[in-house]
Amino acid sequence: FQKYLQSGELGLLGLQNFDSWVGMFAEKTTEFEIAVDTGSFRLATRFSRFHNIPELTAMLASIADFHSLDESDDLPGFDGYTDVLIPKSAALGDYLKDISKRADRVHNREVSREEDNMLKITGDGRKAALDMRLVLRFDEEQPLYGMQVGRCKVSECAERVAMIWHETKSDRLTQLVFCDTSTPRAGFNMYDELKLRLTDLGVDESEIAYIHDASTEARREKLFRSVREGRVRVLMGSTFKLGLGVNVQDRLIAVHHLDLPWRPADMVQREGRILRAGNLNERVDIYRYITEGSFDAYSWQLLETKQRFITDILSGTIAGRSGSEVDDTVLDYAEIKALALGDPLLKSRVQTRNEIFRLSILQRKSVEARLRLEQRLSKLPDDIAAKQLELDCCLSDAAFVAGEGKDLYRDLASRDKKQLASWRRYIREYLAGKLYGYVMKPKDEALIDYRGFTIVLPAGMDEKHPYLCLVREGRYRVDMGDKETGLLIRIDNCLDRLDEHADSIRRQKEVLEQELRETEAELAKSESYSDLIDEYTALLDDIDEELGVNELRKSIR
């Protein structure tokens, strides 16, 4: 996008080719990750860090707007995901062994790309994680639909969808089911299988629909209206067809992820159907179906890597020069990846590594917070002293107004009414004239003395917000306001209310003193996560030793 929209800026910076851009802003890292057969680790090199983040974010800000949801967007309540774990079957275990052999043959170039390749292997692995019937060959006369294949994603999903359908029948609440891997077509597919199981569990077939059946815009709108009105209560679709531009949130109570997409943004789009303003439900649920020890682990890992990479740029509040931030979404993906791993040792490695990431973030934030507190603490005594001086000056000026200044005011008020009105009008017009002509001047200009105070035109004044200053021992601002006729009245009010102003300054000083005490108390706490990080790092080394990761690392070096 920068090449397309900011070619000139890139040219000025000498970043017109990809290698130079990477040299300035990105970094490739080599990390151990789960191999596609999910039974071992491999070294993989990926782009996973950004550098010079403030500059990159500033450049992007001129061509892109970022928006993140928050509580003020009137979204329904969401207490976290419900993750449904499906045990790995013996058939899946055997199939993954075959996947591993296929991956070895491709890696060793024993087969042509047309015959087999990693993309095909990955696709087959994702299908197997969804349902073994999508990859195994059966006798053509053997019915695949409704087969007793033990616990599987579609059976678990059907039970939960049916349960919610029955429980919310009176309110006619609705649900969405997302599945990208096996869409409606001739032959066995997840959509028809789920529909069959739902009807067997008592769900009305007329209330189940596929987004794929709405082939025109008119049909789509008719279908969406039926969902909003609760006539269609279970809608199934893919991310591409159901995740974008679909407003059916009115009665939506649950979303089900039978599989997961490739991109974090696609997951955001899926869940954006239910976590959306206009949903009439106070709380909603999102279900994720995960097959242990399957390609789900690999898929969640990819989402984790991509999400961490994207988060650095789209957070919008990056202050560091570089980063590989793990936000809540990243940690969540990583946790799901751990759940999907069938091997306890592999699962322990992922969980330990995630904990190190989490503690590292907490440690960094703790150090940053301490630095901010120390900087603030160094300034607070001066701020308190300045506020005390301001208070002393204001109290002295208030005493002057109540004493000598009162006599000056009596002298003014004792004049003939016409003479006094004429004098005040002259003063008002004089001040207003000087005020309007005095904009962004480099220094103050003293005008006249009034009731023992010097009326001053301040330096650097903006013409949109004109004001005067009254100066004696202290300095007090008087805004011009909308009309010049009340200017002298506002000046009199300012002087007559200096006692109230002193009270305000005193309260501000007390707030600063309280902040000083709290800052000192906070800095007295010695919060550090270093020991825990060291403990988990040692544990990770022990796990890597048992898995043979360290030996693999040495052999590669």
Side-chain angles (χ1 to χ4, degrees):
F1 274 108
Q2 283 192 291
K3 183 71 173 177
Y4 179 60
L5 296 173
Q6 295 184 299
S7 178
E9 289 89 335
L10 293 178
L12 290 173
L13 295 171
L15 305 176
Q16 286 182 307
N17 63 70
F18 184 68
D19 288 342
S20 60
W21 187 94
V22 168
M24 178 65 70
F25 293 124
E27 176 188 346
K28 292 182 291 186
T29 59
T30 300
E31 297 285 348
F32 282 94
E33 64 182 32
I34 306 163
V36 292
D37 62 357
T38 72
S40 62
F41 281 88
R42 69 173 183 185
L43 275 175
T45 301
R46 301 182 184 278
F47 289 108
S48 59
R49 288 180 64 89
F50 281 115
H51 293 301
N52 298 319
I53 293 174
E55 289 78 8
L56 179 57
T57 303
M59 289 181 68
L60 285 174
S62 66
I63 60 170
D65 292 316
F66 305 112
H67 172 69
S68 58
L69 295 176
D70 54 40
E71 295 179 359
S72 65
D73 290 316
D74 192 26
L75 304 180
F78 174 54
D79 295 328
Y81 299 98
T82 301
D83 297 312
V84 183
L85 295 179
I86 292 89
K88 180 171 67 175
S89 65
L92 177 58
D94 292 339
Y95 187 76
L96 289 177
K97 292 177 183 178
D98 182 61
I99 284 278
S100 180
K101 294 176 182 177
R102 287 172 58 189
D104 288 339
R105 287 195 294 270
V106 170
H107 181 71
N108 296 328
R109 299 183 179 179
E110 297 174 6
V111 294
S112 66
R113 293 183 179 180
E114 291 74 19
E115 182 181 348
D116 205 1
N117 54 66
M118 295 305 295
L119 183 59
K120 185 177 180 182
I121 290 172
T122 303
D124 289 343
R126 287 165 65 90
K127 290 177 184 177
L130 180 57
D131 198 293
M132 284 298 297
R133 286 169 290 179
L134 296 172
V135 294
L136 295 182
R137 294 183 178 180
F138 292 88
D139 189 315
E140 292 183 1
E141 296 182 359
Q142 184 178 0
L144 296 180
Y145 290 103
M147 282 182 61
Q148 295 301 317
V149 290
R151 287 185 62 195
C152 60
K153 284 189 178 183
V154 70
S155 64
E156 294 289 335
C157 181
E159 289 179 7
R160 282 162 179 76
V161 172
M163 178 185 67
I164 296 171
W165 185 89
H166 287 292
E167 290 177 350
T168 63
K169 196 169 185 177
S170 59
D171 296 322
R172 305 202 66 77
L173 300 185
T174 59
Q175 304 177 69
L176 299 182
V177 180
F178 284 99
C179 182
D180 294 346
T181 308
S182 175
T183 53
R185 65 184 188 283
F188 178 77
N189 65 82
M190 286 294 99
Y191 285 65
D192 293 337
E193 172 71 359
L194 180 59
K195 185 176 182 179
L196 175 63
R197 289 179 180 265
L198 288 175
T199 54
D200 288 343
L201 293 170
V203 177
D204 191 339
E205 184 176 356
S206 66
E207 296 184 3
I208 304 172
Y210 303 162
I211 186 66
H212 301 75
D213 292 337
S215 55
T216 67
E217 193 61 35
R219 289 180 179 177
R220 281 171 60 87
E221 184 50 43
K222 182 179 179 181
L223 174 60
F224 296 160
R225 185 167 56 252
S226 297
V227 177
R228 289 193 293 268
E229 294 173 356
R231 288 182 282 114
V232 170
R233 297 183 55 210
V234 179
L235 180 58
M236 294 183 254
S238 62
T239 306
F240 180 73
K241 290 184 176 292
L242 189 55
L244 301 172
V246 175
N247 296 318
V248 294
Q249 67 271 14
D250 302 47
R251 300 170 182 267
L252 205 52
I253 190 64
V255 163
H256 304 262
H257 297 297
L258 264 182
D259 62 1
L260 69 161
W262 286 110
R263 302 179 302 179
D266 293 333
M267 187 64 75
V268 172
Q269 287 297 329
R270 284 186 178 191
E271 295 170 358
R273 299 316 98 207
I274 191 169
L275 301 177
R276 194 176 183 89
N279 193 319
L280 301 178
N281 295 299
E282 292 185 1
R283 311 209 71 78
V284 297
D285 296 303
I286 298 178
Y287 295 86
R288 302 186 292 195
Y289 300 85
I290 306 143
T291 302
E292 289 185 317
S294 71
F295 254 61
D296 284 345
Y298 182 68
S299 300
W300 282 111
Q301 176 178 260
L302 290 179
L303 278 183
E304 174 196 358
T305 301
K306 293 175 182 179
Q307 184 65 34
R308 184 181 298 122
F309 188 64
I310 293 166
T311 296
D312 288 331
I313 295 302
L314 299 189
S315 64
T317 56
I318 296 175
R321 300 298 309 170
S322 64
S324 57
E325 183 75 16
V326 184
D327 66 0
D328 291 340
T329 306
V330 171
L331 285 175
D332 184 58
Y333 284 151
E335 288 161 359
I336 298 304
K337 181 182 67 179
L339 290 173
L341 289 169
D343 188 320
L345 197 57
L346 293 177
K347 185 175 180 179
S348 178
R349 186 185 192 276
V350 172
Q351 291 173 333
T352 302
R353 190 165 174 266
N354 293 343
E355 192 64 16
I356 292 173
F357 273 127
R358 188 182 69 84
L359 291 171
S360 297
I361 293 170
L362 292 175
Q363 177 69 1
R364 190 193 70 223
K365 291 182 177 179
S366 175
V367 171
E368 291 173 350
R370 189 172 186 85
L371 287 173
R372 288 194 298 269
L373 288 173
E374 289 174 348
Q375 291 173 353
R376 182 60 180 147
L377 183 63
S378 67
K379 296 178 181 179
L380 277 171
D382 291 340
D383 291 345
I384 293 173
K387 195 60 68 174
Q388 180 63 54
L389 178 61
E390 184 182 356
L391 176 61
D392 292 342
C393 291
C394 187
L395 289 173
S396 174
D397 289 339
F400 173 82
V401 170
E404 297 177 48
K406 203 168 187 179
D407 295 334
L408 292 174
Y409 187 66
R410 286 197 190 99
D411 291 341
L412 291 173
S414 64
R415 297 188 182 187
D416 177 83
K417 289 185 178 180
K418 288 185 179 181
Q419 183 184 10
L420 178 62
S422 175
W423 179 80
R424 287 179 68 88
R425 182 171 61 252
Y426 168 76
I427 294 295
R428 183 179 66 243
E429 292 174 352
Y430 169 73
L431 292 177
K434 298 290 288 186
L435 193 62
Y436 283 122
Y438 194 86
V439 177
M440 298 303 292
K441 298 295 183 179
K443 61 181 182 179
D444 290 351
E445 179 182 341
L447 298 179
I448 60 173
D449 287 340
Y450 179 76
R451 293 179 60 181
F453 287 75
T454 301
I455 298 179
V456 172
L457 285 172
M461 183 178 62
D462 182 0
E463 67 176 331
K464 293 183 179 179
H465 305 94
Y467 65 96
L468 296 167
C469 287
L470 306 178
V471 179
R472 189 176 173 273
E473 291 192 29
R475 185 183 180 97
Y476 313 98
R477 171 171 172 158
V478 179
D479 290 322
M480 177 65 188
D482 297 331
K483 298 179 180 180
E484 66 179 56
T485 52
L487 182 57
L488 276 182
I489 295 175
R490 286 190 288 276
I491 291 175
D492 288 333
N493 289 339
C494 176
L495 295 176
D496 293 338
R497 294 171 182 170
L498 284 179
D499 283 331
E500 298 176 15
H501 186 59
D503 290 338
S504 175
I505 297 172
R506 187 179 292 107
R507 288 192 295 271
Q508 294 170 20
K509 176 174 173 284
E510 290 171 354
V511 170
L512 289 174
E513 291 170 339
Q514 178 64 23
E515 184 182 355
L516 176 63
R517 291 191 292 270
E518 291 175 354
T519 302
E520 290 174 336
E522 195 67 29
L523 284 172
K525 301 177 184 177
S526 57
E527 187 176 38
S528 175
Y529 300 90
S530 299
D531 292 341
L532 280 174
I533 291 173
D534 292 342
E535 181 182 332
Y536 277 101
T537 300
L539 177 60
L540 182 62
D541 288 339
D542 292 340
I543 294 173
D544 284 350
E545 188 70 33
E546 190 171 348
L547 285 170
V549 171
N550 293 335
E551 289 299 321
L552 178 59
R553 185 182 284 114
K554 291 176 184 176
S555 66
I556 292 173
R557 287 175 180 172

